Amino acid sequence: MKLPNILVIGKSGSGKSTSLRNLDRTTTWILDLENKILPFPDGNFKHYYNIPSDYRDANNCGKILKDFRELMYAAANSPECSAVMIESFAKWDESLFEYQKSIRTGWDVWTEHNKYILENLNIYKFWNVPVVWLGLDDVIEIEGLDPQRPIRRTCLNVFGKQWEGRVEKEFEMVLFTHQTVVQGKPKYHFKTNNIGECSAKTPMGMFDEVLIDNDLEMVLARMVEYYGT
């Protein structure tokens, strides 16, 4: 059975990358467009791919998108892949936007940018391995019952207006990072559901608690258990 893809959203330093710490070092594929060191010891993943980026170079942006897609297909066809982690949606989207600006003009930039996002999200929905995107958050205003008092909602940061607050609808699971302080030390969580303040969501009954440990290995194991695969 196909497992859901996951979107993890949060501020920089809120535990997104740290949530990778317990993943299987042999079968997890990590595609890193951020070009940064993993924030935990023993980060020696067999399939860790750093995709060098220079966003001032339009040709490089096209190469980033090409390399990224080739690695995604390699992961999908590999018997040694249990899940794909993408660090991050923000860098991928930035490459996409800069590339479209280099080859198009006017509204065509946004038209093709928006089409490319939908195309890619749809492709990865039907793979046999779960794909996990890590992304930055953003606060948007949406119209409420009182037009004079818009509702503020936290969602994925994305270029342009068409996908603002809408990328999440393409995922069955959306986790938001959440921090608390326990005995003077920070504790990092995932928020599994929401009451309107953000777009967190998980399947009914998958998690008993709204806040869970920010551990993607645990999340994936629970997902397999929930769907009985």
Side-chain angles (χ1 to χ4, degrees):
M1 178 180 178
K2 171 68 177 77
L3 292 172
N5 292 336
I6 303 173
L7 182 59
V8 177
I9 303 174
K11 294 178 172 55
S12 178
S14 63
K16 296 188 303 297
S17 299
T18 306
S19 69
L20 308 175
R21 65 192 179 280
N22 291 326
L23 291 167
D24 189 287
R25 267 44 176 182
T26 302
T27 62
T28 304
W29 288 51
I30 299 179
L31 276 56
D32 179 13
L33 292 90
E34 295 281 353
N35 301 305
K36 63 184 184 183
I37 299 173
L38 292 172
F40 48 83
D42 186 25
N44 187 25
F45 287 84
K46 181 177 180 180
H47 296 285
Y48 179 89
Y49 298 98
N50 194 308
I51 306 175
S53 57
D54 180 356
Y55 299 100
R56 298 164 297 182
D57 182 348
N59 292 326
N60 183 245
C61 289
K63 185 176 185 302
I64 291 169
L65 297 173
K66 179 176 179 293
D67 291 348
F68 175 84
R69 178 167 285 199
E70 288 177 353
L71 284 168
M72 289 292 284
Y73 276 99
N77 293 310
S78 172
E80 250 192 11
C81 181
S82 59
V84 183
M85 307 288 141
I86 302 169
E87 175 76 278
S88 65
F89 185 93
K91 286 297 184 184
W92 176 80
D93 191 26
E94 186 175 2
S95 295
L96 172 59
F97 179 65
E98 292 299 329
Y99 175 68
Q100 294 298 339
K101 283 202 307 182
S102 73
I103 62 173
R104 306 182 196 280
T105 58
W107 286 108
D108 287 344
V109 173
W110 292 110
T111 299
E112 294 305 315
H113 167 266
N114 296 334
K115 283 170 54 179
Y116 196 92
I117 289 178
L118 180 60
E119 175 191 343
N120 277 265
L121 293 180
N122 278 336
I123 288 172
Y124 308 140
K125 280 181 184 179
F126 302 101
W127 285 5
N128 292 323
V129 295
V131 177
V132 181
W133 293 77
L134 310 183
L136 292 172
D137 67 350
D138 191 16
V139 178
I140 63 173
E141 292 188 346
I142 59 177
E143 186 174 328
L145 295 177
D146 183 354
Q148 302 302 316
R149 301 181 64 183
I151 300 170
R152 293 171 63 83
R153 185 175 174 88
T154 306
C155 59
L156 179 72
N157 183 281
V158 62
F159 279 84
K161 291 293 184 181
Q162 178 168 320
W163 281 104
E164 190 177 76
R166 295 182 174 89
V167 174
E168 291 88 330
K169 70 182 176 61
E170 304 297 327
F171 290 82
E172 296 90 346
M173 294 179 62
V174 179
L175 303 172
F176 271 75
T177 58
H178 183 84
Q179 295 169 269
T180 57
V181 177
V182 179
Q183 296 181 345
K185 295 183 179 180
K187 176 70 175 175
Y188 299 94
H189 306 273
F190 283 144
K191 183 178 289 188
T192 62
N193 281 288
N194 77 91
I195 54 173
E197 80 286 1
C198 69
S199 49
K201 61 180 181 178
T202 52
M204 181 178 64
M206 179 177 283
F207 298 102
D208 294 329
E209 305 295 332
V210 173
L211 295 181
I212 60 173
D213 190 22
N214 72 328
D215 182 349
L216 278 171
E217 178 63 24
M218 178 273 292
V219 170
L220 292 174
R222 175 61 186 129
M223 189 166 64
V224 170
E225 179 186 40
Y226 180 88
Y227 285 104
T229 61

